[in-house]
Amino acid sequence: MRALKEAPKLRVDWLLNDATPNFIEQGLDCAIRVGGTAEGAVVAIPLARVPRVLVAAPALLAGRDPQEPDDIADLPWIAISTFYRQELQLERDDGVRQRLAIRPVLATDSLYATREAVRLGLGAALQSGWAVQQDIAEGRLMRLLPRWRGTPLPVHLLYPNPPAPTARLRYFIEAMRRSMSEPLWPDLISTP
């Protein structure tokens, strides 16, 4: 958003979807991809990594205080189908990795639908830290297993190759690099 304030003639179409962009057909100069890999003849510029944390509504835990992944295996889960469906890849703060099989009661490709379902107590989820940070701080959600997190999702800016980027696109790339270099999503989210 800062780039738009700094360059009032810049025009941005912000489309939120998981489809592979067709730059020519859609008239796009670039796309931002979270997770996954670039497909086709594109240049992929790494911008950031999105930390993901395990969360649940306090009522879902019914006073339990889980410490290890096996302690939450029997919970109902909300799956973000773009990134996980039946299994979570978790990493402890000391580098130990573990897979956790889950049984989703709901699968969606929407971070917002996932967050709302978790708030309602329908299940636990592995969510992007930025999407749940305020809910954790305000007590609507609890961070599960504070020593564990999901593998961070890479964020890339994609543009077609060829042609070489235009001056307008080079400006936008640099603005995105500046913006995403700031600590937008903390690696560790403190629990209240």
Side-chain angles (χ1 to χ4, degrees), residues 9-31:
K9 293 184 180 181
L10 182 66
R11 297 291 176 255
V12 174
D13 286 337
W14 189 324
L15 310 171
L16 297 174
N17 64 60
D18 295 319
T20 300
N22 182 325
F23 294 99
I24 295 170
E25 187 177 296
Q26 293 176 275
L28 303 175
D29 293 320
C30 66

Side-chain angles (χ1 to χ4, degrees), residues 15-22 26 31-37 39 79-84 108-112 114 153 158:
L15 310 171
L16 297 174
N17 64 60
D18 295 319
T20 300
N22 182 325
Q26 293 176 275
I32 307 291
R33 170 158 313 236
V34 178
T37 57
E39 301 166 4
I80 301 177
S81 55
T82 311
F83 304 117
Y84 65 91
T108 177
D109 63 354
S110 168
L111 290 175
Y112 303 105
T114 300
L153 297 173
L158 310 176

Side-chain angles (χ1 to χ4, degrees), residues 106-129:
L106 172 68
T108 177
D109 63 354
S110 168
L111 290 175
Y112 303 105
T114 300
R115 183 180 62 196
E116 187 60 24
V118 173
R119 282 179 182 164
L120 291 171
L122 298 177
L126 178 63
Q127 279 268 180
S128 298

Side-chain angles (χ1 to χ4, degrees), residues 25-91:
E25 187 177 296
Q26 293 176 275
L28 303 175
D29 293 320
C30 66
I32 307 291
R33 170 158 313 236
V34 178
T37 57
E39 301 166 4
V42 298
V43 174
I45 299 171
L47 295 175
R49 293 172 57 83
V50 180
R52 298 182 300 156
V53 295
L54 296 158
V55 293
L60 184 69
L61 297 179
R64 292 171 36 189
D65 184 24
Q67 298 299 312
E68 297 297 326
D70 291 341
D71 298 340
I72 59 173
D74 64 338
L75 291 176
W77 287 87
I78 311 302
I80 301 177
S81 55
T82 311
F83 304 117
Y84 65 91
R85 188 174 277 276
Q86 302 295 325
E87 182 179 82
L88 302 176
Q89 305 283 332
L90 302 176
E91 184 174 341

